[in-house]
Amino acid sequence: MEKHYAVIGHPIEHSLSPVMHKAGYEALGVNAKYHRFDVEPRHLPEAVEGLCALGFSGWNVTLPHKEHIIPFLNTLTPQAKRAGAVNTVKIQEGQRIGHNTDGVGFVRSVEKELNGFKGKLAVLLGAGGASKGIALALAEQGMKVHILNRKLEKAEALVEVIQREGGTATAGALAPEGWLEEVDLLVQTTSVGLHGESFPFSVQGISEQALVVDIIFNPSETAFLHEAKQQGCRTLNGLGMLLYQGVYAWEFWLGGQAPVEAMGQALQDQLLRRMLNTF
Ligand code: ATR
């Protein structure tokens, strides 16, 4: 029987999830369709009921619904519980199960370049929802996590959550300090750079050993990543995280191994098409 999946968010027209998942279905001959629905926050409860009533097997959840959807679900996986946010829902025997693949998706996307996590220092810029999922997943891998945020109290609150989970974390002001020379992994998790703007501080003097990641993938190289590259660092944008959160969502829904290459290729092709259309 044909299965139906979707992504819900607001706005949603730029979501790359449909092309990624459809390419995966095609590659493995899975009889499924992936839809995209723009759901305004006030319509979230009816949207969840509607998806269930229509027989959807699962769906992805993106901004601004990742936290607000929780009361409408039956159970949460440990990953979703810990993050306090859901990006994947599976319907199993009528039960709505909330899961979160953002953190593991990020970990997987840096695994090869970082070559081991334990005892290494990760510095995260920003303390919002995206930072939380990544910080918890890195701490779970045994990294020391240092969180910098404009509003220091938000970084401190996140540090408390990580420590409660048994991780090692500290908070600091959004400024270039001594950590620049020691950092193994630097992650930019704020929205600064989406529209070509520069990050509030320079990473001049950063250790050349550092892997620097910006979770923004469009533009493919933010001013922040550009500067890190000029300093001799290895850099990654957020495309890998997007890919692997999708891969893990696929595997949560369908079991087996997702066709990573086909899904990644579809993402790259779609971004290229978009870039060409803007010229
Ligand atoms: P998300 O869920 O995408 O992470 P969010 O929860 O709104 O979004 O968090 C946005 C993050 O980007 C926050 O850490 C925010 O810093 P504050 O908590 O101090 O507001 C950060 N951010 C956004 N714009 C910023 C800017 N111009 N300079 C520095 N930090 C910024």
Side-chain angles (χ1 to χ4, degrees):
M1 204 176 70
E2 189 177 55
K3 291 186 169 192
H4 290 267
Y5 297 94
V7 57
I8 62 169
H10 180 75
I12 199 67
E13 67 268 27
H14 294 302
S15 171
L16 293 169
S17 291
V19 286
M20 171 168 59
H21 284 275
K22 281 178 193 168
Y25 302 151
E26 252 165 52
L28 291 192
V30 175
N31 187 14
K33 290 231 157 59
Y34 193 100
H35 309 259
R36 184 182 70 183
F37 297 119
D38 193 323
V39 176
E40 283 182 35
R42 66 196 166 104
H43 289 314
L44 182 63
E46 300 101 290
V48 171
E49 293 305 324
L51 288 164
C52 291
L54 291 167
F56 273 68
S57 301
W59 59 90
N60 285 127
V61 184
T62 188
L63 301 178
H65 305 311
K66 288 186 180 190
E67 292 169 10
H68 296 122
I69 196 164
I70 291 176
F72 308 107
L73 305 176
N74 299 107
T75 49
L76 297 182
T77 62
Q79 291 87 341
K81 221 177 269 176
R82 212 178 302 135
V86 163
N87 80 327
T88 307
V89 175
K90 176 161 79 170
I91 305 299
Q92 198 168 33
E93 289 157 12
Q95 294 288 298
R96 307 161 183 183
I97 307 167
H99 186 37
N100 193 312
T101 67
D102 286 332
V104 283
F106 180 84
V107 165
R108 176 82 181 271
S109 74
V110 296
E111 203 167 35
K112 228 193 273 165
E113 284 289 341
L114 199 61
N115 199 13
F117 294 92
K118 234 180 177 54
K120 290 186 176 170
L121 174 65
V123 176
L124 270 62
L125 310 177
S131 173
K132 186 177 179 189
I134 294 169
L136 281 161
L138 292 175
E140 200 186 357
Q141 294 296 320
M143 288 193 94
K144 293 177 282 181
V145 182
H146 188 45
I147 298 161
L148 313 182
N149 200 47
R150 193 171 50 178
K151 293 182 194 125
L152 185 59
E153 64 277 13
K154 262 173 81 178
E156 287 169 341
L158 181 47
V159 163
E160 262 181 50
V161 175
I162 295 167
Q163 287 173 341
R164 227 180 297 139
E165 293 292 328
T168 307
T170 48
L174 196 64
E177 286 171 10
W179 56 263
L180 271 176
E181 291 150 35
E182 295 161 35
V183 61
D184 296 295
L185 172 66
L186 176 62
V187 193
Q188 198 302 99
T189 74
T190 78
S191 51
V192 181
L194 262 178
H195 308 290
E197 66 277 37
S198 292
F199 199 74
F201 67 79
S202 158
V203 291
Q204 217 170 0
I206 189 171
S207 158
E208 274 183 29
Q209 305 304 315
L211 171 64
V212 180
V213 185
D214 196 320
I215 66 165
I216 293 171
F217 55 81
N218 194 11
S220 63
E221 187 177 274
T222 56
F224 174 78
L225 271 198
H226 183 70
E227 194 195 10
K229 205 183 251 178
Q230 282 182 326
Q231 295 293 309
C233 298
R234 289 159 298 143
T235 59
L236 288 175
N237 68 18
L239 207 56
M241 179 182 181
L242 175 70
L243 169 63
Y244 285 109
Q245 65 75 33
V247 162
Y248 284 119
W250 163 295
E251 294 175 355
F252 182 60
W253 288 327
L254 292 158
Q257 281 197 331
V260 180
E261 275 188 26
M263 292 166 79
Q265 192 61 52
L267 281 181
Q268 274 172 350
D269 291 350
Q270 182 69 5
L271 276 175
L272 190 65
R273 266 195 295 274
R274 276 191 195 165
M275 207 177 79
L276 293 174
N277 281 340
T278 57
F279 290 116

